[in-house]
Amino acid sequence: QVQLVESGGGSVQAGDSLRLSCAASGRAAGNIGMAWFRQAPGKEREFVGAMSKMTGSTWLAESVKGRFAISRDNDRNTLFLQMYSLKPDDTAVYYCAARFTLLTNTNYATLSDYHHWGQGTQVTVSS
């Protein structure tokens, strides 16, 4: 049963833009919060951005503030990550995640609070 499907990854040059999408279906579509995480080779998975379905509140990692924007279409149960001014350090597999617990200022980046995960989409930024 498909739950979260990411799309939009690819290989780009530094300074380029990409837009990732994550479509939720099945039980995952009933989430109240969704997020993007990323994992580079040899590194731990890290938080990128999150958005509350209930309030529309957003959170972004300091490393992407001013360059990335997160949004969602609740009617289509889809989360987006618009990425501008991409850098080689942004190279990673980007994962979408969904949760059924409230997003707060203290838990938005906690991996274990997310109940469904997508398979990931590769983003490669070359210099």
Side-chain angles (χ1 to χ4, degrees):
Q1 182 179 2
V2 174
Q3 300 280 0
L4 296 172
V5 178
E6 303 98 334
S7 62
S11 296
V12 297
Q13 298 288 319
D16 286 349
S17 301
L18 275 177
R19 189 192 196 205
L20 305 183
S21 299
C22 173
S25 63
R27 189 168 185 271
N31 73 82
I32 61 173
M34 295 179 72
W36 291 99
F37 289 78
R38 66 185 182 185
Q39 188 166 18
K43 295 187 177 180
E44 293 186 353
R45 193 167 298 190
E46 65 175 7
F47 171 78
V48 177
M51 187 168 188
S52 168
K53 184 176 183 179
M54 299 173 68
T55 66
S57 297
T58 60
W59 293 263
L60 286 170
E62 286 297 325
S63 60
V64 304
K65 280 183 179 178
R67 298 189 301 120
F68 291 11
I70 190 167
S71 62
R72 64 184 294 165
D73 182 337
N74 288 338
D75 290 338
R76 293 195 292 162
N77 288 311
T78 301
L79 182 73
F80 303 100
L81 183 68
Q82 180 67 56
M83 304 184 291
Y84 301 101
S85 301
L86 283 160
K87 305 175 181 179
D89 285 348
D90 295 318
T91 295
V93 177
Y94 283 69
Y95 296 92
C96 175
R99 61 190 288 160
F100 302 103
T101 53
L102 284 174
L103 276 160
T104 70
N105 288 331
T106 58
N107 72 11
Y108 59 84
T110 304
L111 273 74
S112 60
D113 284 349
Y114 290 87
H115 307 92
H116 291 281
W117 291 84
Q119 293 299 308
T121 184
Q122 177 71 46
V123 172
T124 303
V125 185
S126 56
S127 58

